[in-house]
Amino acid sequence: MKFHKTLYLKFLLTYLIFGILGFILISALTSRMILRFLVQNEASRLYATCQLIAADYGVELGKALKERDDALRELTRTAGYSGCDIRIIDTNGRQILYSGDNEGSVTSSNISDFDAASSGTYYMTGDFYGVFDEPHLSVFYPITYRYTILGYVIAHAPMAEISDLSNRLLNITYITFLAIFILSLLILILFSHAVYNPLRKTIRAAEEYARGNMEYPLEIHRHDEMGYLSGTLNFMAQEIARSEDDQKKFISNISHDFRSPLTSIRGYLAAMIDGTIPPELHEKYLTIVLNETERLTKLTNGLLELNSFNEKGMILTITDFDINSVIKQTCETFEVQCNKKKIAFELILTGHELFVNADADKIKQVLYNLIDNAIKFSHSNSIIKIETTEKNDKAFISVKDSGIGIPKDSIKLVFDRFYKTDLSRGKDKKGTGLGLAITKEIIQAHNQNINVISTEGVGSEFIFTLKISDNE
Ligand code: ATP
Ligand code: MG
């Protein structure tokens, strides 16, 4: 539960930090940048004005001094036109003309400290050597005549106007940022809708699963990563629930399969001891008891075998061998059983030899299981067809009988452990229902497939594939 809140808080905090940092950035950096830009802009405008005036006054400076009033009038006009004050000084800083001079109040303030090279640029901001009370932008341009500097044209504009403009622009920036900040709230909402809420549901479900409640529904129908995650989790829960189910079924199956032979063994032995079965019949019932113990042994061995597969995966000893000859050998081991039931094999084998790449012993076991089933579930006087074919680098091996067949509903289940069809129970009391499960494990360990085609009352065909050997 804690986890949810932290993630959400983190996101919210990030959002707030984004807002605060953005604000600080604008007030610290953007405001300065705007002001600098405006000052430079204004300075270059005034510079052009100064330049023009300087060009005018260069030659005429002497004259201008004589006709001071005319010059002043003209200068004042230009200054008014450019929205600034204009001052002309000589190289000693002595003021020659100043547009700000009102008629009559002729101030001839000397700016003796003035040094055009000091600021390294063509303008400066501030009180201009104590001339102004308010900060001003002062732009200067030299008046030259025959490569000598005679003086300077200096234009002054109050900084207040520029700052005012700068503040107005800054406000626009603030408003824009605020809009972006509010808009980015959308991201927060989208995040909580797309990630946070489903994540919370998923965590809730995961907690339930951890507690063992595998039935807890987790439904997030979406085609994104969250949907995928929840789907996977859901699938996992179902699989666990199913395997728990399987486990229970497995145990009850084992118990059942052990109990029935044990019950009959005990029954027969008790009957022999208390004399219910007369001594002359002992041999017959002891044979039954022996058969039952055989079945128990087979069951135990089968279980051990299956278990060993699961633990370490199956260790295969892969070699190239001739499957045709393995089929022939296996068929021979069934001679006695076949004779009893008058069953014949029909072998339809591809080529003289068909080399496959697999674990020969394990494949022998597969064939044994399939042929054993085919004989067990065939009627007397029938034929079992075993066929090998070659297709796309694969050998297909089919074992086909015309016996009792498998009911439609059971076809999917015959490879399950302990599964036996109702049809077969009467025919084969010794069967453990493990044969096909082992067979399937073996084929799967080879990365191959096994399939069954069967019709109830008509017969069954089991087909499995093997890899054809490369160096043929
Ligand atoms: P085991 O192989 O241990 O002797 P089993 O033969 O009963 O026991 P599997 O080989 O796993 O067990 O077969 C499972 C069940 O599938 C059988 O009990 C039977 O019902 C059905 N089955 C298998 N092969 C055939 C077949 N050729 N024809 C009809 N039913 C079959
Ligand atoms: Mg079998």
Side-chain angles (χ1 to χ4, degrees):
M1 285 293 138
K2 256 185 203 163
F3 166 71
H4 311 170
K5 282 188 188 137
T6 26
L7 192 64
Y8 201 69
L9 266 183
K10 271 182 195 161
F11 210 76
L12 206 71
L13 213 70
T14 314
Y15 179 68
L16 288 179
I17 289 174
F18 164 70
I20 293 168
L21 280 186
F23 183 80
I24 292 174
L25 195 80
I26 290 174
S27 55
L29 207 69
T30 315
S31 69
R32 237 187 264 175
M33 274 161 45
I34 289 177
L35 190 65
R36 225 179 74 183
F37 170 76
L38 289 177
V39 165
Q40 271 172 359
N41 202 36
E42 179 71 1
S44 73
R45 192 180 69 84
L46 293 180
Y47 188 69
T49 308
C50 292
Q51 199 175 12
L52 278 177
I53 295 169
D56 259 5
Y57 280 76
V59 193
E60 315 243 335
L61 189 64
K63 244 201 281 171
L65 281 170
K66 281 175 205 138
E67 298 159 19
R68 199 172 172 282
D69 284 349
D70 284 352
L72 184 62
R73 218 169 294 130
E74 201 175 318
L75 194 65
T76 311
R77 208 174 52 234
T78 315
Y81 184 70
S82 296
C84 60
D85 282 330
I86 294 173
R87 181 194 306 274
I88 292 174
I89 58 170
D90 68 13
T91 40
N92 296 323
R94 205 154 52 84
Q95 178 171 302
I96 297 166
L97 277 178
Y98 180 48
S99 70
D101 279 348
N102 292 324
E103 278 167 72
S105 66
V106 184
T107 52
S108 52
S109 43
N110 277 3
I111 307 139
S112 47
D113 298 340
F114 180 70
D115 176 10
S118 70
S119 59
T121 163
Y122 60 87
Y123 67 88
M124 57 174 72
T125 53
D127 62 1
F128 198 66
Y129 307 100
V131 173
F132 300 106
D133 299 334
E134 306 284 315
H136 272 66
L137 166 67
S138 306
V139 180
F140 36 88
Y141 190 87
I143 303 167
T144 50
Y145 181 65
R146 294 195 176 147
Y147 307 111
T148 349
I149 294 176
L150 302 177
Y152 294 92
V153 180
I154 305 173
H156 302 288
M159 279 300 285
E161 276 172 31
I162 299 175
S163 304
D164 192 45
L165 191 60
S166 163
N167 284 339
R168 285 220 298 266
L169 284 178
L170 197 61
N171 281 345
I172 293 175
T173 315
Y174 278 131
I175 289 168
T176 313
F177 177 69
L178 195 72
I180 291 173
F181 188 65
I182 291 169
L183 271 183
S184 57
L185 197 70
L186 271 182
I187 299 177
L188 196 71
I189 293 166
L190 200 76
F191 161 80
S192 90
H193 177 73
V195 180
Y196 183 65
N197 290 343
L199 190 64
R200 220 171 48 179
K201 271 194 208 164
T202 310
I203 291 169
R204 177 98 193 83
E207 281 169 351
E208 285 296 325
Y209 298 153
R211 239 176 255 144
N213 175 16
M214 295 299 162
E215 307 302 319
Y216 187 84
L218 173 60
E219 277 165 9
I220 298 175
H221 301 290
R222 295 225 318 240
H223 297 288
D224 56 11
E225 286 83 347
M226 286 314 302
Y228 181 73
L229 176 67
S230 64
T232 311
L233 200 67
N234 210 351
F235 179 73
M236 185 199 77
Q238 280 169 11
E239 284 296 294
I240 291 175
R242 221 190 51 163
S243 92
E244 274 175 1
D245 253 27
D246 283 358
Q247 203 85 358
K248 272 186 209 150
K249 234 189 271 166
F250 184 68
I251 301 281
S252 72
N253 277 333
I254 294 182
S255 317
H256 175 83
D257 275 69
F258 272 91
R259 200 174 48 200
S260 41
L262 283 175
T263 316
S264 73
I265 289 171
R266 209 184 56 182
Y268 288 133
L269 291 180
M272 277 185 249
I273 288 168
D274 68 19
T276 322
I277 295 176
E280 58 269 29
L281 288 179
H282 276 192
E283 197 185 326
K284 179 188 164 193
Y285 286 99
L286 281 175
T287 316
I288 296 176
V289 168
L290 189 66
N291 277 342
E292 293 290 273
T293 54
E294 259 172 32
R295 186 174 156 209
L296 281 175
T297 314
K298 198 173 149 196
L299 195 67
T300 320
N301 288 341
L303 277 173
L304 283 175
E305 196 166 352
L306 269 179
N307 216 32
S308 73
F309 294 168
N310 284 350
E311 271 168 17
K312 8 179 174 56
M314 200 181 294
I315 298 164
L316 298 176
T317 320
I318 303 282
T319 50
D320 289 336
F321 63 91
D322 175 20
I323 185 76
N324 287 349
S325 72
V326 171
I327 291 174
K328 284 177 215 155
Q329 282 166 27
T330 316
C331 287
E332 279 163 20
T333 60
F334 285 101
E335 221 180 87
V336 181
Q337 276 150 280
C338 285
N339 287 343
K340 260 196 214 157
K341 274 183 105 171
K342 300 209 166 51
I343 286 174
F345 288 118
E346 181 185 348
L347 306 185
I348 309 165
L349 307 177
T350 294
H352 177 57
E353 288 173 327
L354 179 58
F355 277 87
V356 292
N357 188 250
D359 184 321
D361 283 335
K362 296 262 160 38
I363 296 305
K364 229 178 253 177
Q365 197 182 345
V366 166
L367 280 168
Y368 184 94
N369 287 349
L370 293 182
I371 296 172
D372 178 53
N373 284 351
I375 296 173
K376 274 197 296 195
F377 305 117
S378 275
H379 308 294
S380 302
N381 293 311
S382 63
I383 288 175
I384 293 171
K385 242 190 227 176
I386 303 174
E387 200 174 340
T388 56
T389 38
E390 194 181 333
K391 210 199 249 167
N392 303 334
D393 291 342
K394 281 193 173 183
F396 287 75
I397 296 107
S398 138
V399 178
K400 188 175 179 183
D401 64 61
S402 43
I404 59 172
I406 302 167
K408 217 173 162 191
D409 299 338
S410 306
I411 286 188
K412 270 192 192 149
L413 304 170
V414 289
F415 293 104
D416 286 359
R417 294 169 183 191
F418 296 115
Y419 186 81
K420 290 154 103 182
T421 67
D422 294 335
L423 277 184
S424 68
R425 279 180 210 282
K427 283 226 164 223
D428 169 40
K429 293 204 178 65
K430 272 198 202 167
T432 63
L434 290 176
L436 284 179
I438 293 172
T439 299
K440 183 150 194 174
E441 295 263 359
I442 292 174
I443 297 297
Q444 277 177 345
H446 281 82
N447 284 326
Q448 299 292 333
N449 293 309
I450 179 158
N451 258 310
V452 55
I453 307 162
S454 182
T455 314
E456 189 176 343
V458 177
S460 316
E461 180 177 13
F462 285 83
I463 307 163
F464 65 94
T465 57
L466 284 177
K467 185 174 170 273
I468 299 247
S469 138
D470 292 327
N471 31 343
E472 230 184 315

